[in-house]
Amino acid sequence: MTTRTLRIAMNGITGRMGYRQHLLRSILPIRAQGGVTLPDGTRVQVEPVLVGRNADKVREVAAAHDVEHWTTDLQAAIHDPATDVVFDASMTSLRAATLTEAMKAGKHVYTEKPTAETLAEAVELARLRETTGVTAGVVHDKLYLPGLVKLRRLVDEGFFGRILSLRGEFGYWVWEGDVQPAQRPSWNYRTADGGGMTVDMFCHWNYVLEGIVGRVRTVTSQTATHIPTRWDERGEPYEATADDAAYGIFQLETPDGDPVVAQINSSWAVRVHRDELVEFQVDGTAGSAVAGLFHCVAQPRSATPKPVWNPDLPTTERFRDQWLEVPANADLDNGFKAQWEEFLVDVALGRPHRFDLLSAARGVQLAELGLRSSAEGRRLDVPGITL
């Protein structure tokens, strides 16, 4: 059996997402299983090179996980002839420059979102990928999660009939940092550092809506900074200048041309009263389904009850018990790992990745328009992007 190795410079690996999801739950398991297999039987192994600004932290991670190569010199890693792929999970404000340098150096890129702070930068990255011909992938992890994989299967099978609407609820209480440490870094709540709920999550919602239902045609958004003062990693108070909640309404269009209304609430200042931290409900003429990260339940038209509004009597129906669990019918791996494996196969075969920098640009566009919609108090069209 032929084996080849892809050397991956992993930037931002000491951060929460870079370490937990991309190194610990994706690249290291892929390495442990001997890589990925191409259609001709060739094995493609991975060799991570850990990159970060704090030498002590990077060295500690490398030693803990038996990773031979690490560095604090991102430019050297990018321009090293042995580097095949540059992965970025650093701060949003630094990302466009990193991806630009990597693609100009002829490296394939795989990156977290958003890919840039502005739509113009994001589109320029997509154009550069076209020019250089490298394979570029953008993390679209939620589409690989078991719950949404099941939801997409229901769409493909025509379970919903004509889709009418989608409703999403996302978020949880992020501690302010005074009496308990915050679960998210302080830069997430400073506009100058690229923080904000809209910037962070609308790029996710764009690909979720595209991947499940169809293209986003309009957006109406209301943002809020519910918690104006937070405490940073040193225990010092600071002004939260970025939005910590965004309430969006989106007009969608399915591939068949049907209109769909979507509503997604996103908040770091909400306490969870649902089964999972994110849930999406899709309603159609023939049935409905609710999907979270892992689970998905459905209710077909034939099994839909007929509730009657009566405020004078307590409700006796157990509505949650009236839904059926949707089985996986497959071995669904960690979503981040699954997309990494798909991307690595695309790199090895020299073909584009289906979730590329143009898809990411549409996410940045939706975030920009969401912020503008909130500021101007009106609904905005979402035009197509051409390179």
Side-chain angles (χ1 to χ4, degrees):
M1 180 183 297
T2 304
T3 301
R4 57 177 293 195
T5 300
L6 290 175
R7 189 179 174 104
I8 306 171
M10 304 188 71
N11 184 40
I13 210 62
T14 57
R16 180 175 56 92
M17 294 297 293
Y19 175 69
R20 292 181 184 175
Q21 297 298 344
H22 294 286
L23 180 65
L24 202 61
R25 296 172 185 162
S26 298
I27 292 300
L28 293 181
I30 291 172
R31 183 181 69 170
Q33 71 188 26
V36 296
T37 304
L38 303 184
D40 66 358
T42 299
R43 296 289 292 178
V44 178
Q45 181 58 287
V46 294
E47 181 183 358
V49 178
L50 308 188
V51 184
R53 291 177 293 179
N54 187 311
D56 291 337
K57 288 184 178 180
V58 181
R59 183 189 300 111
E60 181 181 348
V61 172
H65 299 289
D66 193 26
V67 175
E68 180 180 356
H69 304 288
W70 64 272
T71 182
T72 59
D73 192 336
L74 175 60
Q75 281 66 42
I78 289 174
H79 294 281
D80 186 341
T83 298
D84 299 294
V85 176
V86 174
F87 166 70
D88 188 72
S90 63
M91 291 176 61
T92 301
S93 58
L94 306 175
R95 184 160 297 136
T98 298
L99 299 179
T100 297
E101 185 173 357
M103 287 191 286
K104 286 184 176 180
K107 309 302 182 183
H108 307 291
V109 295
Y110 190 63
T111 179
E112 270 291 350
K113 307 160 302 301
T115 51
E117 292 188 288
T118 67
L119 175 59
E121 288 179 318
V123 171
E124 188 56 38
L125 288 173
R127 288 175 178 150
L128 183 59
R129 193 224 69 82
E130 294 277 309
T131 301
T132 59
V134 301
T135 298
V138 180
V139 178
H140 282 24
D141 56 288
K142 289 175 177 55
L143 291 179
Y144 292 80
L145 292 168
L148 291 192
V149 169
K150 298 170 187 176
L151 186 63
R152 179 66 221 189
R153 193 179 79 224
L154 294 177
V155 173
D156 293 339
E157 292 174 352
F159 168 81
F160 297 101
R162 181 168 60 85
I163 295 177
L164 307 174
S165 64
L166 177 146
R167 286 189 292 278
E169 289 287 342
F170 168 78
Y172 47 90
W173 188 267
V174 175
W175 283 91
E176 297 93 324
D178 51 352
V179 297
Q180 290 195 44
Q183 310 97 294
R184 297 178 62 83
S186 59
W187 71 263
N188 283 178
Y189 303 93
R190 292 190 291 265
T191 301
D193 293 331
M197 176 62 82
T198 304
V199 170
D200 189 2
M201 296 309 301
F202 271 37
C203 55
H204 284 278
W205 304 151
N206 185 75
Y207 75 70
V208 167
L209 294 172
E210 284 187 351
I212 301 298
V213 178
R215 285 292 181 92
V216 182
R217 298 306 185 192
T218 72
V219 56
T220 306
S221 180
Q222 177 64 61
T223 66
T225 304
H226 290 307
I227 310 295
T229 302
R230 292 182 178 270
W231 282 256
D232 63 20
E233 291 77 6
R234 299 169 299 174
E236 298 292 331
Y238 68 95
E239 180 185 1
T241 55
D243 54 308
D244 58 16
Y247 308 94
I249 299 174
F250 312 92
Q251 290 183 326
L252 315 180
E253 184 178 314
T254 70
D256 293 331
D258 294 326
V260 176
V261 177
Q263 173 187 322
I264 303 180
N265 296 325
S266 313
S267 178
W268 300 131
V270 63
R271 293 176 177 88
V272 180
H273 188 262
R274 50 192 123 88
D275 293 333
E276 302 198 53
L277 294 183
V278 63
E279 288 185 345
F280 299 96
Q281 177 165 336
V282 175
D283 291 298
T285 56
S288 298
V290 179
L293 299 174
F294 298 97
H295 299 287
C296 182
V297 294
Q299 187 175 93
R301 178 183 174 90
S302 59
T304 300
K306 191 177 181 180
V308 176
W309 174 260
N310 186 349
D312 299 321
L313 295 174
T315 300
T316 58
E317 288 187 84
R318 299 178 64 85
F319 293 109
R320 289 180 182 269
D321 294 342
Q322 296 167 352
W323 295 70
L324 301 173
E325 185 77 26
V326 177
N329 291 343
D331 183 16
L332 301 178
D333 208 341
N334 176 279
F336 286 88
K337 178 173 177 280
Q339 188 178 357
W340 260 110
E341 291 176 329
E342 182 181 323
F343 171 75
L344 292 170
V345 170
D346 291 337
V347 169
L349 296 178
R351 65 190 185 192
H353 187 61
R354 60 175 171 154
F355 300 126
D356 60 7
L357 291 168
L358 180 57
S359 174
R362 293 195 294 272
V364 175
Q365 177 191 44
L366 189 62
E368 272 196 7
L369 291 173
L371 290 171
R372 184 177 149 203
S373 169
S374 180
E376 298 178 3
R378 65 191 183 98
R379 184 177 67 194
L380 297 175
D381 290 335
V382 181
I385 298 175
T386 56
L387 299 181

